[in-house]
Amino acid sequence: LHAMGRLAWAEKSFAEAQDYHEQSLGVSEELQDAAGMITSLRELVDVAIAQGDYKATDGYLERELALLDQRGERRQMGVALHNAGVDMYKRDEVGLAESYWQRAVTVKEELPDKRELYATLYMWARVEIDQRRYDGARQHLQRCLTLTEQMQDQKARAEVLLALIVVAQEQNRLEERESYLKQALEVLNGLEGVESQQLQVLAALEQSARVREATEEADDYHQQRVKVEEVLSRQEQAGSLALLAQVATAENRFEDAQVLYERLLQLHERQGDRKGIRETLQALSSVAYRLRQPEQAEEYLRRGLALSEEAGDRQGVSSMLHAMGRLAWAEKSFAEAQDYHEQSL
């Protein structure tokens, strides 16, 4: 019955899935099989959420939690509440999600392993950042930072510091942001495979130092940055090349950006990544325009349009026509811009 319920769930026959799991629950109750009851109730929670029946969700979840509590499985109680919150958030029920996460935190605070508590607090903070509720995010992230010390987890510490940098930037806490940047750099320097994060932090620290006219400090960050860029450049990975190109563009080093995007384009072409090719051609067009090469900028877009049409990629065609319309607008070719946007529409 449990397996049949899962099969019905996979087929999105939620009412049927609920019926099978209810029957499975009834059998487990007759057998006084607590583990079986917990499994069925967990599935019924998922089915109720999928159906948008939040009253039933609470009912099933409370029964599951009561059974877990009787068995002394506090960790699983926290996990159940955390997961219910995640599922609610995926359905844009932010208030309900946070109510479950608050209960999960209460349960997890009692656990000796602080990783469980960290997982809920960090996820909650990321949601608050997405919701632009930075005070709440800052509070939760600072708790996470303390937990990383107890966990002795430098990777998690770097993760939290990078999030705190975003929050500090959004709240215009510039001194706090620089402090977090320096802490993040120190942690990242002790980790492997984090060159992308190192580059972002070093670029931000260099810029901050130049704003303060601390030339020697800025030059030191720049030298560190060059070494990291050399490592990333040798990796020939899409993410690394894209980041290097984005940094070069942000710093108005458009010729460097053009070279990097051309390398990235070749990589996407070898991999057959149509979406990557389309996005890179658009980036190359933007860079070419900044280099006062409007004809080259248009050529990149025409290549993207031809590739999209050949592949039957209607989204790609629309995206390229929209970009061509914006380019024509920038060149004050308004009739041409209107034509491209009409085609995109």
PDB file of all heavy atoms in Angstrom, residues 67-84:
ATOM      1  N   LEU A  67       4.540  10.877  17.699  1.00  0.00           N
ATOM      2  CA  LEU A  67       5.148   9.552  17.679  1.00  0.00           C
ATOM      3  C   LEU A  67       6.667   9.628  17.800  1.00  0.00           C
ATOM      4  O   LEU A  67       7.288   8.836  18.527  1.00  0.00           O
ATOM      5  CB  LEU A  67       4.771   8.816  16.385  1.00  0.00           C
ATOM      6  CG  LEU A  67       3.320   8.307  16.303  1.00  0.00           C
ATOM      7  CD1 LEU A  67       2.999   7.853  14.886  1.00  0.00           C
ATOM      8  CD2 LEU A  67       3.104   7.156  17.290  1.00  0.00           C
ATOM      9  N   LEU A  68       7.266  10.577  17.101  1.00  0.00           N
ATOM     10  CA  LEU A  68       8.718  10.748  17.181  1.00  0.00           C
ATOM     11  C   LEU A  68       9.138  11.138  18.598  1.00  0.00           C
ATOM     12  O   LEU A  68      10.159  10.656  19.110  1.00  0.00           O
ATOM     13  CB  LEU A  68       9.168  11.814  16.179  1.00  0.00           C
ATOM     14  CG  LEU A  68       9.114  11.423  14.699  1.00  0.00           C
ATOM     15  CD1 LEU A  68       9.315  12.652  13.821  1.00  0.00           C
ATOM     16  CD2 LEU A  68      10.159  10.356  14.364  1.00  0.00           C
ATOM     17  N   ASP A  69       8.334  12.000  19.230  1.00  0.00           N
ATOM     18  CA  ASP A  69       8.632  12.428  20.596  1.00  0.00           C
ATOM     19  C   ASP A  69       8.565  11.240  21.554  1.00  0.00           C
ATOM     20  O   ASP A  69       9.408  11.088  22.441  1.00  0.00           O
ATOM     21  CB  ASP A  69       7.653  13.523  21.015  1.00  0.00           C
ATOM     22  CG  ASP A  69       8.119  14.264  22.266  1.00  0.00           C
ATOM     23  OD1 ASP A  69       9.331  14.232  22.571  1.00  0.00           O
ATOM     24  OD2 ASP A  69       7.261  14.875  22.931  1.00  0.00           O
ATOM     25  N   GLN A  70       7.564  10.382  21.381  1.00  0.00           N
ATOM     26  CA  GLN A  70       7.436   9.197  22.235  1.00  0.00           C
ATOM     27  C   GLN A  70       8.651   8.285  22.109  1.00  0.00           C
ATOM     28  O   GLN A  70       9.059   7.640  23.071  1.00  0.00           O
ATOM     29  CB  GLN A  70       6.168   8.415  21.858  1.00  0.00           C
ATOM     30  CG  GLN A  70       4.865   9.101  22.239  1.00  0.00           C
ATOM     31  CD  GLN A  70       3.652   8.369  21.692  1.00  0.00           C
ATOM     32  OE1 GLN A  70       3.734   7.204  21.294  1.00  0.00           O
ATOM     33  NE2 GLN A  70       2.511   9.059  21.658  1.00  0.00           N
ATOM     34  N   ARG A  71       9.229   8.255  20.925  1.00  0.00           N
ATOM     35  CA  ARG A  71      10.390   7.395  20.677  1.00  0.00           C
ATOM     36  C   ARG A  71      11.707   8.095  20.984  1.00  0.00           C
ATOM     37  O   ARG A  71      12.783   7.536  20.786  1.00  0.00           O
ATOM     38  CB  ARG A  71      10.381   6.944  19.208  1.00  0.00           C
ATOM     39  CG  ARG A  71       9.239   5.991  18.875  1.00  0.00           C
ATOM     40  CD  ARG A  71       8.980   5.916  17.379  1.00  0.00           C
ATOM     41  NE  ARG A  71      10.125   5.433  16.619  1.00  0.00           N
ATOM     42  CZ  ARG A  71      10.327   4.143  16.289  1.00  0.00           C
ATOM     43  NH1 ARG A  71       9.450   3.213  16.695  1.00  0.00           N
ATOM     44  NH2 ARG A  71      11.369   3.776  15.568  1.00  0.00           N
ATOM     45  N   GLY A  72      11.619   9.354  21.427  1.00  0.00           N
ATOM     46  CA  GLY A  72      12.831  10.096  21.773  1.00  0.00           C
ATOM     47  C   GLY A  72      13.646  10.524  20.573  1.00  0.00           C
ATOM     48  O   GLY A  72      14.840  10.822  20.693  1.00  0.00           O
ATOM     49  N   GLU A  73      13.006  10.591  19.409  1.00  0.00           N
ATOM     50  CA  GLU A  73      13.727  10.946  18.180  1.00  0.00           C
ATOM     51  C   GLU A  73      13.623  12.450  17.932  1.00  0.00           C
ATOM     52  O   GLU A  73      12.953  12.914  16.995  1.00  0.00           O
ATOM     53  CB  GLU A  73      13.172  10.138  17.002  1.00  0.00           C
ATOM     54  CG  GLU A  73      13.387   8.638  17.166  1.00  0.00           C
ATOM     55  CD  GLU A  73      12.904   7.847  15.963  1.00  0.00           C
ATOM     56  OE1 GLU A  73      12.772   8.435  14.874  1.00  0.00           O
ATOM     57  OE2 GLU A  73      12.659   6.635  16.122  1.00  0.00           O
ATOM     58  N   ARG A  74      14.306  13.221  18.765  1.00  0.00           N
ATOM     59  CA  ARG A  74      14.224  14.678  18.683  1.00  0.00           C
ATOM     60  C   ARG A  74      14.843  15.205  17.378  1.00  0.00           C
ATOM     61  O   ARG A  74      14.349  16.165  16.796  1.00  0.00           O
ATOM     62  CB  ARG A  74      14.931  15.311  19.888  1.00  0.00           C
ATOM     63  CG  ARG A  74      14.395  14.873  21.245  1.00  0.00           C
ATOM     64  CD  ARG A  74      13.004  15.409  21.493  1.00  0.00           C
ATOM     65  NE  ARG A  74      12.990  16.856  21.679  1.00  0.00           N
ATOM     66  CZ  ARG A  74      11.876  17.567  21.835  1.00  0.00           C
ATOM     67  NH1 ARG A  74      10.701  16.965  21.796  1.00  0.00           N
ATOM     68  NH2 ARG A  74      11.937  18.875  22.019  1.00  0.00           N
ATOM     69  N   ARG A  75      15.915  14.581  16.951  1.00  0.00           N
ATOM     70  CA  ARG A  75      16.539  15.028  15.704  1.00  0.00           C
ATOM     71  C   ARG A  75      15.561  14.902  14.543  1.00  0.00           C
ATOM     72  O   ARG A  75      15.427  15.825  13.723  1.00  0.00           O
ATOM     73  CB  ARG A  75      17.794  14.214  15.408  1.00  0.00           C
ATOM     74  CG  ARG A  75      18.462  14.575  14.075  1.00  0.00           C
ATOM     75  CD  ARG A  75      19.658  13.693  13.760  1.00  0.00           C
ATOM     76  NE  ARG A  75      20.172  13.999  12.434  1.00  0.00           N
ATOM     77  CZ  ARG A  75      19.659  13.524  11.300  1.00  0.00           C
ATOM     78  NH1 ARG A  75      18.599  12.717  11.335  1.00  0.00           N
ATOM     79  NH2 ARG A  75      20.194  13.850  10.130  1.00  0.00           N
ATOM     80  N   GLN A  76      14.864  13.775  14.459  1.00  0.00           N
ATOM     81  CA  GLN A  76      13.906  13.576  13.373  1.00  0.00           C
ATOM     82  C   GLN A  76      12.727  14.528  13.469  1.00  0.00           C
ATOM     83  O   GLN A  76      12.151  14.920  12.454  1.00  0.00           O
ATOM     84  CB  GLN A  76      13.414  12.127  13.368  1.00  0.00           C
ATOM     85  CG  GLN A  76      14.445  11.126  12.861  1.00  0.00           C
ATOM     86  CD  GLN A  76      14.956  11.491  11.478  1.00  0.00           C
ATOM     87  OE1 GLN A  76      16.147  11.746  11.304  1.00  0.00           O
ATOM     88  NE2 GLN A  76      14.072  11.539  10.499  1.00  0.00           N
ATOM     89  N   MET A  77      12.377  14.939  14.696  1.00  0.00           N
ATOM     90  CA  MET A  77      11.336  15.952  14.852  1.00  0.00           C
ATOM     91  C   MET A  77      11.772  17.256  14.204  1.00  0.00           C
ATOM     92  O   MET A  77      11.010  17.898  13.471  1.00  0.00           O
ATOM     93  CB  MET A  77      11.039  16.183  16.337  1.00  0.00           C
ATOM     94  CG  MET A  77      10.311  15.049  17.025  1.00  0.00           C
ATOM     95  SD  MET A  77      10.099  15.369  18.802  1.00  0.00           S
ATOM     96  CE  MET A  77       9.018  16.817  18.765  1.00  0.00           C
ATOM     97  N   GLY A  78      13.012  17.646  14.467  1.00  0.00           N
ATOM     98  CA  GLY A  78      13.533  18.872  13.873  1.00  0.00           C
ATOM     99  C   GLY A  78      13.594  18.792  12.361  1.00  0.00           C
ATOM    100  O   GLY A  78      13.248  19.747  11.653  1.00  0.00           O
ATOM    101  N   VAL A  79      14.011  17.621  11.848  1.00  0.00           N
ATOM    102  CA  VAL A  79      14.094  17.432  10.399  1.00  0.00           C
ATOM    103  C   VAL A  79      12.711  17.515   9.764  1.00  0.00           C
ATOM    104  O   VAL A  79      12.527  18.134   8.705  1.00  0.00           O
ATOM    105  CB  VAL A  79      14.752  16.070  10.075  1.00  0.00           C
ATOM    106  CG1 VAL A  79      14.638  15.751   8.585  1.00  0.00           C
ATOM    107  CG2 VAL A  79      16.223  16.077  10.503  1.00  0.00           C
ATOM    108  N   ALA A  80      11.714  16.897  10.403  1.00  0.00           N
ATOM    109  CA  ALA A  80      10.351  16.916   9.867  1.00  0.00           C
ATOM    110  C   ALA A  80       9.818  18.346   9.778  1.00  0.00           C
ATOM    111  O   ALA A  80       9.190  18.738   8.777  1.00  0.00           O
ATOM    112  CB  ALA A  80       9.438  16.059  10.740  1.00  0.00           C
ATOM    113  N   LEU A  81      10.044  19.133  10.827  1.00  0.00           N
ATOM    114  CA  LEU A  81       9.585  20.523  10.828  1.00  0.00           C
ATOM    115  C   LEU A  81      10.340  21.355   9.791  1.00  0.00           C
ATOM    116  O   LEU A  81       9.745  22.188   9.088  1.00  0.00           O
ATOM    117  CB  LEU A  81       9.772  21.119  12.224  1.00  0.00           C
ATOM    118  CG  LEU A  81       8.777  20.609  13.278  1.00  0.00           C
ATOM    119  CD1 LEU A  81       9.300  20.882  14.689  1.00  0.00           C
ATOM    120  CD2 LEU A  81       7.417  21.264  13.083  1.00  0.00           C
ATOM    121  N   HIS A  82      11.640  21.128   9.684  1.00  0.00           N
ATOM    122  CA  HIS A  82      12.460  21.837   8.690  1.00  0.00           C
ATOM    123  C   HIS A  82      11.947  21.543   7.280  1.00  0.00           C
ATOM    124  O   HIS A  82      11.732  22.461   6.479  1.00  0.00           O
ATOM    125  CB  HIS A  82      13.921  21.397   8.820  1.00  0.00           C
ATOM    126  CG  HIS A  82      14.823  21.973   7.764  1.00  0.00           C
ATOM    127  ND1 HIS A  82      15.546  23.124   7.952  1.00  0.00           N
ATOM    128  CD2 HIS A  82      15.100  21.565   6.501  1.00  0.00           C
ATOM    129  CE1 HIS A  82      16.238  23.400   6.860  1.00  0.00           C
ATOM    130  NE2 HIS A  82      15.982  22.458   5.962  1.00  0.00           N
ATOM    131  N   ASN A  83      11.746  20.265   6.980  1.00  0.00           N
ATOM    132  CA  ASN A  83      11.312  19.868   5.637  1.00  0.00           C
ATOM    133  C   ASN A  83       9.916  20.399   5.308  1.00  0.00           C
ATOM    134  O   ASN A  83       9.646  20.786   4.161  1.00  0.00           O
ATOM    135  CB  ASN A  83      11.342  18.356   5.506  1.00  0.00           C
ATOM    136  CG  ASN A  83      12.766  17.802   5.489  1.00  0.00           C
ATOM    137  OD1 ASN A  83      13.722  18.537   5.252  1.00  0.00           O
ATOM    138  ND2 ASN A  83      12.912  16.517   5.743  1.00  0.00           N
ATOM    139  N   ALA A  84       9.039  20.414   6.303  1.00  0.00           N
ATOM    140  CA  ALA A  84       7.701  20.969   6.077  1.00  0.00           C
ATOM    141  C   ALA A  84       7.809  22.448   5.709  1.00  0.00           C
ATOM    142  O   ALA A  84       7.096  22.949   4.826  1.00  0.00           O
ATOM    143  CB  ALA A  84       6.832  20.788   7.318  1.00  0.00           C
TER     144      ALA A  84
END
